[in-house]
Amino acid sequence: MSSQRPAFGRKHTEDLAAFVQASPTPYHAVATVAERLEGAGFRRVAETEKWGAEPGGRYVLRGGAVVAWFVPEGARPETPFRIVGAHTDSPNLRVKPRPDMGSQGWRQVAVEIYGGPLLNSWLDRDLGLAGRLTLRDGSTRLVATDRPLLRVPQLAIHLDRGVNDGLTLDKQRHLQPVWGLGDAQDGDLIGYLAERADLDPEDVVGWDLMTHDTQPPAFLGRDEELFACPRLDNLLSVHAGAAALAAAAGGQDLTYIPVLAAFDHEENGSQSDTGAQGPLLGNVLSRSVHARGGGFEERQRALAASVCVSSDSGHAVHPNYAERHDPTHHPRANGGPILKTNVNQRYATDGTGRGVFAAACDTAGVPYQHFVSNNSMPCGTTIGPITSARHGITTVDVGVPILSMHSAREMSGADDPHLLAGALTAFLAA
């Protein structure tokens, strides 16, 4: 019952809602994380400058990725790391280089499919547009339209009588949103966004723009025990990781260096300079060791004793499709975070990593569940195996069980975000 739900758990999820609302794109998400870390005493360092060895919190921003870490008093060059990994991107519709198009008197925006969205979930939904604009001097400016601007209208049932027997969407023809009436004119969309950002459209030479659902997050259910929200996969984990890092940085007697690594481009394979397959995390860890006077030997010793918790959303058992899940593993909403296992290394969890995360949950008083895929269904993957293989770090894959994964709007238990943050805090503060 809601009356039995701890108030601090509700407060955490309300804060998650505010975080998601402020973060319609990966670029906004890392800016929001940076703002919160600054409030906790962290400071930004540039990759092009020399880093110092003094204790304290630091973070690096690159595009839609952020890596933040806290060096405690007395940390040695070989002090190991405890890392929470997550990703900032979500499947959506992204604007093409020549965005202005139209047909039959409708003005439209040309978009490309990013990641693996549930396409039908983007139909008949009021969409905003957000991202970054790049200027002639190489600087970037964040921009967001928080009001409904775009819509992908579905064909009426009267013109497609068989639609309820199976909806087929052509990704090129059927998903271009409308945003007005009249003839399309080159420069209209970027001119509109530049004006909102108080920029001269002639100064805008590039853009990374994407759609987002403008409907605000909401608590659902008789007792408001459910939480519906866009981009839970995976801003829920980014938010929990940032909260855990800030909490751990305020602790005493840290024996590890706590780290948050929130990457971009997980939804399309992580192959970028801001993705988990890129050099960003490895560079930060190496430079942190070197700043404290260490070399190759100390770096290898530190990594050998380090642990990463890769946190990404997982599947809650679906009441209408229970046969799609493993019959003995049915993660439930508000049952606590899930430990993900796949013997074919789609997840990196092994017995050692499982033990580390179980101990963190025990310390935090947080229940946890197990997840494996049905043998007849292909198993997804995430940044855990990439991180483990690239850096040689013991890694365990975890997450919060949700429904409607990769929809424009997903759903979790209202308590689970707080439970995950508690477990991550205990892990980082060890």
Side-chain angles (χ1 to χ4, degrees):
M1 300 288 289
S2 59
S3 60
Q4 299 172 327
R5 190 167 296 119
F8 50 82
R10 169 81 181 213
K11 184 177 180 180
H12 177 93
T13 305
E14 289 174 344
D15 189 64
L16 168 62
F19 179 87
V20 172
Q21 286 286 87
S23 307
T25 74
Y27 315 112
H28 290 81
V30 299
T32 308
V33 168
E35 180 180 359
R36 291 176 173 227
L37 290 177
E38 292 274 355
F42 284 67
R43 62 181 179 85
R44 183 176 180 178
V45 294
E47 293 183 81
T48 55
E49 297 176 359
K50 184 176 181 179
W51 295 355
E54 65 276 7
R58 302 171 180 80
Y59 67 92
V60 167
L61 294 184
R62 183 191 289 187
V66 56
V67 179
W69 67 104
F70 181 82
V71 180
E73 292 279 355
R76 298 176 56 82
E78 66 273 15
T79 297
F81 302 94
R82 285 217 164 184
I83 304 162
V84 169
H87 67 89
T88 60
D89 59 319
S90 300
N92 56 19
L93 311 177
R94 301 203 171 188
V95 176
K96 290 182 176 180
R98 296 187 63 186
D100 297 294
M101 63 176 292
S103 178
Q104 308 304 315
W106 295 93
R107 297 167 66 191
Q108 295 176 276
V109 175
V111 296
E112 187 174 2
I113 311 302
Y114 177 82
L118 284 171
L119 296 177
N120 64 294
S121 73
W122 291 87
L123 302 178
D124 298 333
R125 192 174 292 274
D126 298 335
L127 303 175
L129 200 61
R132 64 179 182 180
L133 303 175
T134 302
L135 308 183
R136 290 187 183 279
D137 63 4
S139 64
T140 59
R141 185 76 61 85
L142 295 183
V143 63
T145 62
D146 295 322
R147 71 171 182 86
L149 182 67
L150 311 170
R151 186 177 177 91
V152 183
Q154 188 168 193
L155 186 64
I157 193 170
H158 312 81
L159 304 177
D160 186 5
R161 293 291 183 178
V163 65
N164 289 327
D165 298 322
L167 174 64
T168 300
L169 295 171
D170 183 287
K171 294 179 180 179
Q172 180 62 40
R173 293 186 296 123
H174 298 154
L175 290 166
Q176 309 305 319
V178 300
W179 77 302
L181 298 173
D183 296 328
Q185 300 291 330
D186 285 343
D188 276 359
L189 180 70
I190 300 307
Y192 170 79
L193 295 174
E195 181 181 345
R196 290 183 61 87
D198 197 25
L199 296 171
D200 183 344
E202 294 298 320
D203 288 337
V204 179
V205 295
W207 47 87
D208 301 281
L209 301 167
M210 58 203 74
T211 57
H212 65 276
D213 179 23
T214 59
Q215 183 179 359
F219 289 89
L220 303 180
R222 186 191 68 176
D223 300 315
E224 297 191 334
E225 67 267 49
L226 302 174
F227 180 63
C229 185
R231 302 181 296 285
L232 283 179
D233 177 16
N234 188 32
L235 291 187
L236 187 158
S237 294
V238 175
H239 174 263
L245 178 60
Q252 302 293 323
D253 302 323
L254 291 174
T255 56
Y256 294 85
I257 294 173
V259 179
L260 170 67
F263 301 103
D264 200 354
H265 302 131
E266 187 274 344
E267 297 293 356
N268 62 7
S270 297
Q271 291 184 322
S272 72
D273 67 325
T274 53
Q277 294 211 49
L280 183 58
L281 176 60
N283 287 349
V284 168
L285 299 183
S286 294
R287 292 185 65 177
S288 178
V289 170
H290 294 157
R292 296 191 304 279
F296 178 82
E297 179 71 15
E298 289 76 16
R299 175 187 179 276
Q300 297 307 106
R301 290 169 61 189
L303 294 184
S306 297
V307 184
C308 175
V309 169
S310 162
S311 183
D312 198 355
S313 298
H315 301 294
V317 62
H318 197 300
N320 298 334
Y321 301 91
E323 74 281 358
R324 302 295 181 97
H325 301 264
D326 183 85
T328 60
H329 295 77
H330 281 180
R332 299 180 184 276
N334 291 332
I338 53 175
L339 270 165
K340 303 177 184 179
T341 303
N342 179 266
V343 296
N344 294 303
Q345 294 301 297
R346 301 292 284 175
Y347 301 128
T349 306
D350 63 8
T352 300
R354 187 181 298 117
V356 171
F357 189 71
C361 289
D362 289 344
T363 298
V366 168
Y368 63 91
Q369 310 176 76
H370 291 281
F371 173 83
V372 296
S373 289
N374 186 309
N375 285 330
S376 299
M377 305 289 293
C379 181
T381 189
T382 182
I383 64 169
I386 296 170
T387 304
S388 178
R390 181 169 180 79
H391 306 292
I393 295 174
T394 296
T395 302
V396 53
D397 278 298
V398 308
V400 162
I402 68 173
L403 293 182
S404 305
M405 185 183 291
H406 286 198
S407 172
R409 190 171 177 85
E410 299 160 324
M411 187 173 72
S412 75
D415 296 337
D416 282 327
H418 175 257
L419 294 175
L420 174 64
L424 296 182
T425 300
F427 166 72
L428 290 180

